[in-house]
Amino acid sequence: MSSLTIQLLNVIGVVGQFYVVLLVVYVLMSWFPMNGAFYDVYRVIGSLCEPYIALFRRFIPPMGGIDFSPWAAILVVQFVIVPVLRYLVITVVR
């Protein structure tokens, strides 16, 4: 594998993990009351995460007042999107 391929694979992995961290931070922040600067941060993170999580909310309704759709979104990023993108990079570069 060339160094470009390795760098692309690393970038895909880092971006995927960063998005997972954003999703976790968004979920954790939603448990606490927001005001001031924290509310602004929450809105920015929400604008990045909410459209993706909304895809899962259509199929996974809240159960017992707990919304499991963010966790499904995290699993899909880690076990579907990132591996597929890595596979595509390896396939295209060959």
Side-chain angles (χ1 to χ4, degrees), residues 4-51:
L4 176 62
T5 305
I6 293 170
Q7 288 174 350
L8 282 173
L9 293 174
N10 287 336
V11 167
I12 289 170
V14 168
V15 169
Q17 290 303 316
F18 179 73
Y19 196 68
V20 167
V21 169
L22 277 180
L23 289 168
V24 170
V25 168
Y26 179 66
V27 168
L28 292 176
M29 287 181 80
S30 71
W31 294 349
F32 301 101
M34 293 289 133
N35 57 17
F38 289 112
Y39 180 71
D40 294 336
V41 171
Y42 179 72
R43 280 188 27 211
V44 169
I45 294 174
S47 69
L48 297 171
C49 296
E50 194 57 41

Side-chain angles (χ1 to χ4, degrees), residues 1 8 19 22 27 29 58-59 66 81 85:
M1 261 193 271
L8 282 173
Y19 196 68
L22 277 180
V27 168
M29 287 181 80
R58 284 193 246 160
F59 304 107
I66 299 173
I81 294 175
L85 288 175

